[in-house]
Structure formats: C-alpha cells, structure tokens
Amino acid sequence: MKLTVLGCYAATPRSLNNPTSQVLEIKNQLFLIDCGEGTQVQLRKSKIKFSRINHILISHLHGDHFFGLPGLISTFRLLGRTNELHVYGPKGIKEAITLFLKLGDSWTNYPLVFHELTSTEPERIYEDDKVSITTIPLEHRVYTNGFLIREQLAERKLNVKAVAKYKIDKCYFQNIKNGKDIVLDNNKVIPNALLTFDPPAPKSYAFCSDTAFSKRIIPWISNVDVLYHEATFLETEKRLAPKTKHATAKEAATIAKEANVGMLILGHFSTRYQSLDLFKEEAKTIFPNVELADDGKEFDL
C-alpha cells in the first residue's frame, strides 16, 4: 500500500502549495482521491501513469477538491483513453462535469460512469476480489464523505511441508488455499489449519477531509492501519474551526487515539502558518505516531 500526496493544503492554490489530491496504490490498483487544481501537473511530477487511474473518489463539491477534475477528464480524452473511468462523488457532480463537456463540445470518447452519493450512513460503493471502498460520512458545510479503503482477506498460504507429509495431490491445492479441509483416501479428515498458514492481515486506509471534529466517525475507522485526517488549524485558531467546519491538529490526534489507528497523517493545512512542524508537535501531545503530508510526499505503508 502506497500513498502519494499530490496536494494537501486548504482553499486556494499557491506557488508551492496545491489543494487536496492524492493517489492510493493498493493491491496494484490506483485510486485518485479528490482532484483539486493542479492535479494533472502533480501526477506528472510523481510519474504516475494516467492510464492506471480507473476510479476517482471525490469527497465533496468545494472547488479545492474537484476543480481539477474537468481538466483531467478532458486530458484522458486527448490521450486517446478507451477504458472506463468511474467517478464517485456527491449528487450534482455529474451535472457539473457534463456541463463543462457540453459547453466545450468535448464529450469523452471513452465510457465515463458517475456514481452519485446521497447516503448519510456508511455505504459500500466499490468492491472486487482485492479491495473494498466504503464511505465515511463527514461533518462539513456541504454534503461530504471520507473513504475507507480496505484490502480483501487474501487466500490462505499453503504449508508445503504439511501437504507433502499427507501426500496430497496438487489438484487439491486451490481448495486448501480457499480454506477447505481435505479427506484422505482412508476417510481421515485433515483440518485446513494443519495444511495452511494465516494470510497477512488486510491493510486499510481512511481518508477524512474536510470535516469538523466529530467522534461519530470513530467506530467506522476503528483500528485502521493509516488515517489521513484534516488539520486545517492549530489550537491557537480553534475559534475558526466550528464556523468553517474544519478541525485542529489536536482534534485529529484525538480521533486517531480513540479509534486506535496505526498511524495518523495530517493534511489540509491552512496556508496562514509558516511552519508545519507545529501541527506535528501539537498532535503528538495526544497521539504518538504522527506524520505530516506534503505536496509530492510518498508514504510506503
């Protein structure tokens, strides 16, 4: 599992700061999460192949989280894309994007599939044999979702010495890895636990931006390996958080601690601050394993 942060700052782009966008690579699949202005350029800088992006997750319809999407969709067209592109986002995203395409007479030459979201409870929006994605309803000024991305449980690992000991034919190996017991010719049953090892624990990643401090999300993100949580403000500007429906670094750390996550990554920083180190220092007073996002930064998780 690898996270590439393309942009992690709040509100307006600046010469060295990009609004929210990131790519999660998990089980050899790429998921683009949010698509602020400059996302295409950041993808180029990070050497991420456009053709590998088949799913885009948009948290909400504030510009700093999706204004880069019309351009990216158009670029896919110019590059001769033929694969389906799936876009998941709040109701209204289809109308917004198709209006751009209509006015510019720039309809895609590939299938563009919108999955519009309206639920205020967690909802499974994608699943295959390797990965599942569930929404995390967040508390912001407009309808907003975070995303919980989990690996599916892998098949069990074959104990080669054990299957050799019982002289089990190779034709049964897949059934064994699928968790089935084996019956020998003498009708003796060999429990699967004797023939396999447990697979690695599935990895999980939770994206929570933008949101006010809300303990409601804790059960939904409990025990995830990595939590990305917005930290727009420091405690010194906490008075601004309720009005804007954002959170402080200390509040993000409180969520991480109570949800018992493995690691906390802070992002969505207000550009009013000269040093991001203060965010880390503040969060670590509550939760020890804290990292700071930054444009172009990669995390091997």
Side-chain angles (χ1 to χ4, degrees):
M1 189 164 69
K2 178 182 177 181
L3 179 69
T4 302
V5 178
L6 305 176
C8 65
Y9 289 83
T12 58
R14 298 174 70 185
S15 58
L16 297 176
N17 305 136
N18 292 279
T20 301
S21 185
Q22 54 184 244
V23 172
L24 184 72
E25 181 173 3
I26 182 170
K27 289 289 188 177
N28 204 36
Q29 296 186 67
L30 296 187
F31 295 93
L32 177 63
I33 306 173
D34 277 346
C35 190
E37 294 175 70
T39 292
Q40 292 187 67
V41 174
Q42 291 297 94
L43 285 169
R44 297 289 193 195
K45 288 181 178 179
S46 296
K47 295 181 168 51
I48 294 172
K49 291 185 177 180
F50 285 27
S51 59
R52 292 189 62 198
I53 298 173
N54 296 315
H55 301 275
I56 300 176
L57 312 173
I58 301 297
S59 62
H60 63 296
L61 296 183
H62 280 162
D64 56 330
H65 292 258
F66 93 106
F67 276 0
L69 186 57
L72 182 60
I73 288 173
S74 296
T75 294
F76 282 148
R77 172 179 177 269
L78 295 174
L79 294 176
R81 183 187 181 98
T82 57
N83 292 344
E84 286 186 351
L85 178 66
H86 292 263
V87 178
Y88 306 79
K91 184 177 181 180
I93 193 168
K94 180 178 180 179
E95 179 183 3
I97 298 302
T98 53
L99 181 59
F100 275 104
L101 301 178
K102 176 184 176 181
L103 294 177
D105 192 20
S106 300
W107 299 108
T108 62
N109 52 1
Y110 58 88
L112 178 59
V113 184
F114 290 95
H115 305 263
E116 294 197 307
L117 309 175
T118 59
S119 177
T120 56
E121 295 295 328
E123 177 184 15
R124 181 69 53 87
I125 60 172
Y126 176 79
E127 186 170 27
D128 61 19
D129 61 344
K130 294 182 179 179
V131 176
S132 71
I133 303 177
T134 304
T135 59
I136 305 168
L138 300 176
E139 185 179 337
H140 195 42
R141 301 196 309 278
V142 296
Y143 176 77
T144 305
N145 286 300
F147 301 100
L148 174 60
I149 305 175
R150 290 187 183 275
E151 292 181 342
Q152 301 281 32
L153 185 65
E155 64 183 16
R156 298 185 65 78
K157 300 295 182 182
L158 198 68
N159 183 334
V160 177
K161 291 183 178 179
V163 296
K165 172 185 174 182
Y166 292 106
K167 299 179 181 179
I168 298 173
D169 192 273
K170 290 182 179 180
C171 68
Y172 296 106
F173 284 4
Q174 190 58 54
N175 282 341
I176 294 172
K177 289 191 285 186
N178 290 340
K180 294 183 178 179
D181 298 335
I182 293 297
V183 181
L184 302 180
D185 292 339
N186 61 4
N187 291 324
K188 181 179 180 181
V189 177
I190 308 300
N192 185 268
L194 298 180
L195 303 173
T196 60
F197 301 110
D198 290 337
K203 293 180 180 178
S204 54
Y205 174 73
F207 171 89
C208 294
S209 183
D210 294 2
T211 184
F213 176 64
S214 174
K215 291 190 176 184
R216 181 184 180 220
I217 69 173
I218 290 173
W220 304 331
I221 64 171
S222 179
N223 298 312
V224 297
D225 292 293
V226 183
L227 168 64
Y228 177 96
H229 195 290
E230 77 131 272
T232 305
F233 301 113
L234 295 172
E235 284 292 299
T236 51
E237 282 70 46
K238 186 177 180 178
R239 68 190 184 281
L240 300 175
K243 180 174 68 173
T244 58
K245 295 288 186 180
H246 286 298
T248 68
K250 186 175 181 180
E251 290 172 335
T254 299
I255 295 293
K257 179 180 179 180
E258 296 195 20
N260 193 38
V261 308
M263 181 172 77
L264 171 64
I265 300 176
L266 298 177
H268 201 264
F269 309 112
S270 169
T271 52
R272 72 182 61 232
Y273 301 102
Q274 298 301 311
S275 172
L276 297 186
D277 291 337
L278 297 174
F279 287 87
K280 189 171 186 177
E281 292 171 9
E282 182 172 290
K284 290 192 77 168
T285 63
I286 303 293
F287 184 79
N289 193 11
V290 180
E291 296 291 340
L292 298 177
D294 203 0
D295 294 2
K297 191 171 183 177
E298 297 179 351
F299 296 89
D300 287 313
L301 307 173

